[in-house]
Amino acid sequence: MQDTELFADDELLFTGEEVEERPVKKAKPWRVLVVDDEPDIHTMTQMVLGDYSFEGRKLEFISAFTGEESLNILKKDHEIAVVLLDVVMETSTAGLDVARRIRTFVNNQFVRIILRTGQPGVAPEHKVITELDINDYWQKAELTSQRLTTSITTALRSYRDLRKIEQNRVSLAQLAMSVAHQIRNRTMTITGFANLATRKLDQESDIAKYLETISEESGRLEEVVGSVSDYASIDNCDHQNSEIFPLLEEVIIEIKKFAANLDKNVEFDISLKHAVIDGRPDLFKKAIEELMKNAVIFSDESSPRVELSVQVDSELCQIKVIDNGSGIDDADLPYIYDPFFTKRPEAVGMGLSIVRRVIEGYNWTLDYSKEGRNGAVFTLIIPI
């Protein structure tokens, strides 16, 4: 009787249980933008690549039939991995214009661009590959299913690697910010206690002089930490329309204060113009401010002079910062944008590194030249 009851209990324990099934999360597909004015090309591309997958992820297709339509999509969708781009659409060079504007005006350095053309004479391969930042170039008549698959695989692998590099850069920047915060807390403590100890000592005491040195070095360390924080905080060069005229006026006010603190009676020659650029106002100001500080510091000691001028045409804004100092030695030119490179013992050497970080984030151009025999000329070129 007892055995029967035990058996019955066992049956109740192990029957009727339902295992909860958890839905398997599907991997996000790779987003591919097909840009072509022929609807049949869109259909054919999706048919050929319909079963394709890379690293367990399928493809999701977005269609655009004109160059302008594709640019509007790319401005809003930052997860597109590959653009399959026709050359001849609303104009004979529409695709080439789109490829150029993706890197400049849209400022997307990650998306991979594969050009396809049915009229190779319009865009010779050597000229296109040399002048444009694209990843592959095919004539439609030569683009077999196998070649298209290979080209897509290469493009996606490149896109994946670039994204990983960017993620690592962001992680490193976050680490730098955390370390800088911790160091700043310690330097403030060191400086605070050094100042307290100094008040309890005779000012002529050797120990008081040592404590003063500790305070000074702590202050310099804080400057280093501040510069590293400024550099690391440039984590996202967002798209934003900015009118540069009032921003430059604000920079000039700050730079005149900076020159006064250095006891340099700088003669400023300012020529500003109105222009709207694609860039965050704070990052634009930071770049110009660092260039202007550099010009003030290295301007002539006896009669310092700094020039800031703006030239604007239909496509480009050109900003020049010129000083009348001795210029940069040719031997130092390869290193001027490196972090902590400086010829001044009291300086940090992060100013031009910060400038480079901003211009690379927005794909602007910065050129250096000499003003006659003396002086440095930095020319910042920004697409309108």
Side-chain angles (χ1 to χ4, degrees):
M1 185 66 175
Q2 291 179 349
D3 292 341
T4 304
E5 289 178 352
L6 285 172
F7 183 73
D9 289 343
D10 287 347
E11 284 188 320
L12 290 173
L13 283 172
F14 296 107
T15 59
E17 293 184 358
E18 294 185 0
V19 179
E20 182 181 351
E21 293 185 2
R22 296 183 180 179
V24 178
K25 187 177 181 180
K26 293 183 179 180
K28 291 180 63 176
W30 302 100
R31 296 172 67 80
V32 176
L33 176 62
V34 182
V35 187
D36 203 296
D37 60 348
E38 297 183 27
D40 289 346
I41 297 296
H42 293 257
T43 303
M44 181 273 295
T45 302
Q46 295 184 33
M47 287 177 59
V48 171
L49 298 173
D51 295 328
Y52 174 90
S53 68
F54 176 67
E55 295 186 340
R57 297 169 62 180
K58 305 286 276 183
L59 300 182
E60 178 184 347
F61 296 95
I62 304 101
S63 291
F65 296 90
T66 66
E68 285 300 323
E69 184 183 358
S70 69
L71 289 170
N72 290 331
I73 292 172
L74 285 162
K75 287 177 183 178
K76 299 174 183 177
D77 191 336
H78 303 295
E79 293 188 356
I80 292 175
V82 179
V83 177
L84 294 170
L85 179 60
D86 186 22
V87 172
V88 180
M89 292 181 286
E90 61 264 48
T91 66
S92 60
T93 60
L96 305 183
D97 296 336
V98 168
R100 186 177 295 107
R101 292 171 70 185
I102 287 173
R103 303 303 190 205
T104 54
F105 294 93
V106 179
N107 190 31
N108 189 328
Q109 310 306 313
F110 299 107
V111 66
R112 304 293 85 194
I113 302 173
I114 301 174
L115 275 178
R116 302 188 292 185
T117 181
Q119 302 179 36
V122 174
E125 182 174 349
H126 175 74
K127 181 180 176 68
V128 171
I129 293 292
T130 303
E131 295 183 359
L132 296 177
D133 180 10
I134 65 171
N135 306 99
D136 215 340
Y137 181 91
W138 288 100
Q139 297 181 32
K140 290 179 181 178
E142 300 175 344
L143 193 55
T144 64
S145 174
Q146 182 62 43
R147 286 175 175 172
L148 179 58
T149 301
T150 301
S151 189
I152 283 286
T153 302
T154 304
L156 288 176
R157 186 176 289 117
S158 176
Y159 175 82
R160 175 204 63 189
D161 293 344
L162 286 173
R163 281 297 185 186
K164 285 182 178 178
I165 292 170
E166 177 64 10
Q167 289 171 2
N168 291 337
R169 187 199 65 77
V170 171
S171 298
L172 187 60
Q174 291 172 345
L175 176 62
M177 292 286 285
S178 298
V179 171
H181 176 72
Q182 294 298 325
I183 293 175
R184 180 177 281 115
N185 288 343
R186 274 49 180 186
T187 55
M188 290 176 64
T189 302
I190 292 170
T191 303
F193 278 102
N195 291 336
L196 286 173
T198 300
R199 294 172 190 171
K200 298 179 180 294
L201 295 171
D202 185 352
Q203 293 299 316
E204 300 301 321
S205 170
D206 289 338
I207 296 177
K209 294 177 182 178
Y210 298 153
L211 291 171
E212 183 180 354
T213 301
I214 291 173
S215 295
E216 290 176 356
E217 292 304 315
S218 294
R220 290 181 180 177
L221 183 56
E222 281 206 45
E223 289 182 18
V224 173
V225 170
S227 296
V228 171
S229 296
D230 288 342
Y231 183 87
S233 65
I234 305 172
D235 58 344
N236 194 5
C237 294
D238 299 324
H239 297 287
Q240 187 174 346
N241 288 340
S242 300
E243 166 59 62
I244 67 169
F245 191 94
L247 299 177
L248 291 173
E249 287 186 319
E250 293 174 15
V251 170
I252 292 166
I253 293 172
E254 295 301 317
I255 292 302
K256 287 183 177 180
K257 294 178 183 178
F258 176 78
N261 290 335
L262 294 179
D263 293 327
K264 294 191 77 167
N265 187 20
V266 179
E267 177 187 349
F268 289 96
D269 184 0
I270 308 297
S271 176
L272 305 182
K273 290 185 179 180
H274 291 275
V276 177
I277 64 166
D278 176 25
R280 274 171 42 189
D282 59 324
L283 294 183
F284 171 76
K285 283 178 58 179
K286 187 64 179 175
I288 300 298
E289 185 176 308
E290 293 296 342
L291 289 174
M292 291 290 287
K293 283 182 178 180
N294 195 69
V296 168
I297 290 169
F298 291 101
S299 60
D300 183 69
E301 289 296 331
S302 59
S303 55
R305 184 174 179 275
V306 172
E307 178 183 342
L308 172 65
S309 64
V310 179
Q311 296 178 351
V312 181
D313 60 26
S314 60
E315 294 187 352
L316 297 174
C317 172
Q318 183 174 274
I319 301 172
K320 286 190 175 184
V321 178
I322 306 172
D323 66 64
N324 65 340
S326 58
I328 300 172
D329 293 337
D330 291 340
D332 295 334
L333 275 177
Y335 313 107
I336 59 174
Y337 299 110
D338 292 351
F340 305 114
F341 176 79
T342 180
K343 289 298 190 72
R344 299 165 56 240
E346 76 281 4
V348 175
M350 284 294 292
L352 291 181
S353 297
I354 291 172
V355 174
R356 184 180 66 173
R357 174 71 187 94
V358 174
I359 65 173
E360 286 181 347
Y362 282 112
N363 201 32
W364 299 341
T365 302
L366 182 64
D367 294 328
Y368 166 79
S369 60
K370 282 192 174 182
E371 178 75 4
R373 294 184 178 181
N374 297 316
V377 181
F378 283 96
T379 305
L380 179 61
I381 302 172
I382 305 174
I384 296 296

